[in-house]
Amino acid sequence: TDDKSRTEFTDKSFFVGMLRLDKTPEIDGKISENEYKTVAPVKINKPSMVYNLSGNEWSGLNDMSGTVYLNYDENFFYLAARVKDNAEGATEETAKIYANDSIQFGFANEALKTAGFTEIGIGKDNHGKPVMHRYSFIGTKFFASNIDEAIAFDENCELQIGREGDETIYELKMPWVDIYGDEEPTFT
């Protein structure tokens, strides 16, 4: 890294940078030209990147593949993804969104197994509605006395999921406070 620190990784690890946006994208379930900075995408193209609860084997790029763009600005994290899937499906409710066609991602303050982290799932629920669920949270809300309050998202979160042919389009705009709690990141 720039500060000469080193991180060990395996062949299942990969790194990608988030790019700062100059303008706010429209969260509408479509990825418009020049809406996101797309020069450093995450490519979903290996069996290790696909988790299938049904036990079926991944049968290649036509079965499930995709491209994810990670962007940010001072106040928000943005995720935009175009995922090719030969069969769209959602049979579970919000709390089990991981069992549906979905994207799960996490943030940690440190690259340590013992570090606290925030893990979030986005997808459609069993009614076809775009939903988000927070499975763990670094922030102080997680210690709230009411679990529904602890996992609730800020009203400024926006999620839209569209479908174009055999591709599902995910667009997420999330305030940093929903990822890091009271200790929001600072950008220089």
Side-chain angles (χ1 to χ4, degrees), residues 5 10 13 27 41 54 63 65 84 119:
S5 63
T10 68
S13 301
I27 309 302
S54 68
D63 178 21
S65 58
K84 184 173 187 171
E119 183 180 4

Side-chain angles (χ1 to χ4, degrees), residues 44-50 52 56-66 83-87 166:
I44 302 168
N45 58 8
K46 298 177 183 146
S48 63
M49 302 171 117
V50 177
N52 189 333
N56 297 329
E57 292 291 322
W58 180 67
S59 59
L61 299 177
N62 287 328
D63 178 21
M64 210 300 299
S65 58
V83 178
K84 184 173 187 171
D85 191 346
N86 63 344
D166 63 353

Side-chain angles (χ1 to χ4, degrees), residues 78-125:
Y78 301 94
L79 180 148
R82 185 178 296 278
V83 178
K84 184 173 187 171
D85 191 346
N86 63 344
E88 183 181 30
T91 58
E92 296 293 334
E93 59 196 48
T94 302
K96 293 183 179 179
I97 198 70
Y98 59 83
N100 296 341
D101 290 347
S102 62
I103 295 175
Q104 282 185 259
F105 59 93
F107 285 83
N109 286 328
E110 302 173 82
L112 299 172
K113 288 184 180 183
T114 57
F117 64 96
T118 295
E119 183 180 4
I120 295 168
I122 60 174
K124 289 183 180 178
D125 68 7

Side-chain angles (χ1 to χ4, degrees), residues 16-19 21 31-32 35-44 66-72 77-83 103 169-172:
V16 64
M18 287 194 298
L19 301 172
L21 290 178
I31 299 176
S32 302
E35 188 172 28
Y36 295 95
K37 291 190 177 175
T38 60
V39 296
V42 175
K43 294 286 192 177
I44 302 168
T67 305
V68 181
Y69 307 106
L70 305 175
N71 291 187
Y72 74 95
F77 164 72
Y78 301 94
L79 180 148
R82 185 178 296 278
V83 178
I103 295 175
I169 312 301
Y170 296 83
E171 279 192 299
L172 172 67

Side-chain angles (χ1 to χ4, degrees), residues 118-160:
T118 295
E119 183 180 4
I120 295 168
I122 60 174
K124 289 183 180 178
D125 68 7
N126 54 340
H127 302 289
K129 177 183 170 194
V131 293
M132 308 167 40
H133 190 74
R134 186 166 30 206
Y135 299 100
S136 62
F137 187 33
I138 296 170
T140 56
K141 269 181 156 177
F142 203 68
F143 301 105
S145 59
N146 178 336
I147 190 66
D148 290 333
E149 179 186 334
I151 62 171
F153 287 97
D154 182 279
E155 62 204 27
N156 293 310
C157 284
E158 294 181 46
L159 172 66
Q160 288 296 323

